[in-house]
């Protein structure tokens, strides 16, 4: 094989190695879970099933967590005017952490007709890791306050986690489970894309991939110089 072919082969191997390292970056695992809510309302017990997804995106030293409902839950016997309904919820933490994360959102932006399933707006909160490891996020209790009343909806079907994140504690904490975490609540709405892994991990893996590529280039340069030296001696 000529030195040119060897150089091209080594460069290709280095590039593939770098790509393989980057593809191995830990990804967030997000899925939609069906939650069977049993609701205690001012007019009696009601039930509703809604698909829910939870997403997380890196934000400063923590993660912005967004909880979204795909179907309405509960209903009101009277119309709820604009701004009359205020939702909030909890998310159960598992894996490397424990406790609950509180999430909240804006009041209804439009009137909700009577006897109509109430569509919950996206609820958000900020999660700050206290331990390094894989943390799960599972839908918890939903609370709806409207017209001076409170409706509490509790999952009855033990839904599984809707999101799993590999997180790194800002202080470099250990990998054992936490003693309980309560995140701060948010009031903005809107969906968030699933995080594909902590920024620090992505940067570290990208650096490693670049090192592999540079090593391959250095090897190719050495082979080129060796062949040129051999020709000069002839």
């Amino acid at each position: 094989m000529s030195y040119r072919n060897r150089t091209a082969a080594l460069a290709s191997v280095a590039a593939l190695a770098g790509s393989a390292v980057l593809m191995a970056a830990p990804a967030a695992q997000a899925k939609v879970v069906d939650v069977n809510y049993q609701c205690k309302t001012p007019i009696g017990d009601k039930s509703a099933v809604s698909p829910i997804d939870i997403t997380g995106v890196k934000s400063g030293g923590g993660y912005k967590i967004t909880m979204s409902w795909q179907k309405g839950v509960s209903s009101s016997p009277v119309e709820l005017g604009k701004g009359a309904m205020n939702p909030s919820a909890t998310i159960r933490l598992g894996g490397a952490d424990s406790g609950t994360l509180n999430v909240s959102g804006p009041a209804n932006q439009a009137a909700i007709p009577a006897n109509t399933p109430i569509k919950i707006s996206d609820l958000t909160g900020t999660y700050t890791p206290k331990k390094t490891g894989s943390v799960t996020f599972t839908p918890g209790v939903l609370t709806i306050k409207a017209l001076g009343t409170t409706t509490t909806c509790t999952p009855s079907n033990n839904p599984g986690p809707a999101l799993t994140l590999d997180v790194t504690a800002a202080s470099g904490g250990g990998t054992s489970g936490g003693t309980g975490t309560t995140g701060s609540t948010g009031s903005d709405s809107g969906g968030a894309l699933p995080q594909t892994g902590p920024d620090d991990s992505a940067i570290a893996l990208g650096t490693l991939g670049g090192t592999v590529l540079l090593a391959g280039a250095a090897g190719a340069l050495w082979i080129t110089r060796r062949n040129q030296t051999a020709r000069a001696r002839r």
Side-chain angles (χ1 to χ4, degrees):
M1 180 184 293
S2 68
Y3 75 92
R4 288 184 178 178
N5 290 337
R6 289 181 180 178
T7 299
L10 280 173
S12 298
V13 170
L16 289 174
S19 298
V21 170
L22 290 176
M23 289 177 65
Q29 299 177 15
K31 66 177 181 179
V32 176
V33 295
D34 288 332
V35 180
N36 188 345
Y37 280 111
Q38 297 298 317
C39 301
K40 298 291 184 181
T41 80
I43 59 172
D45 295 347
K46 292 181 176 292
S47 63
V49 176
S50 177
I52 291 178
D53 66 276
I54 299 175
T55 58
V57 61
K58 196 77 169 62
S59 177
Y63 293 82
K64 178 183 177 182
I65 304 299
T66 302
M67 186 176 185
S68 303
W69 278 258
Q70 295 187 7
K71 289 184 179 180
V73 297
S74 192
S75 61
S76 171
V78 297
E79 179 179 283
L80 298 178
K82 178 181 179 180
M85 186 271 293
N86 292 277
S88 62
T90 61
I91 296 175
R92 292 188 289 110
L93 306 177
D97 208 343
S98 61
T100 58
L101 171 70
N102 296 326
V103 291
S104 64
N108 56 305
Q109 300 299 303
I112 302 174
N115 302 313
T116 300
I118 297 174
K119 177 65 170 69
I120 306 299
S121 59
D122 288 350
L123 306 184
T124 62
T126 299
Y127 170 66
T128 302
K130 290 182 173 58
K131 296 290 181 179
T132 296
S134 182
V135 178
T136 60
F137 299 78
T138 302
V141 177
L142 166 67
T143 301
I144 301 172
K145 294 186 177 181
L147 303 180
T149 66
T150 299
T151 294
T152 302
C153 300
T154 303
S156 63
N157 61 330
N158 193 27
L163 174 67
T164 301
L165 281 179
D166 290 332
V167 302
T168 301
S171 58
T175 57
S176 60
T179 57
T181 302
T182 302
S184 60
T185 59
S187 60
D188 53 334
S189 63
L193 296 176
Q195 177 71 6
T196 58
D199 287 352
D200 292 343
S201 298
I203 292 173
L205 288 170
T207 302
L208 179 57
T211 301
V212 172
L213 183 59
L214 289 175
L221 180 61
W222 181 81
I223 290 175
T224 302
R225 289 181 175 177
R226 187 183 66 176
N227 279 279
Q228 290 175 345
T229 301
R231 288 186 175 186
R233 288 179 179 176
R234 293 177 185 173

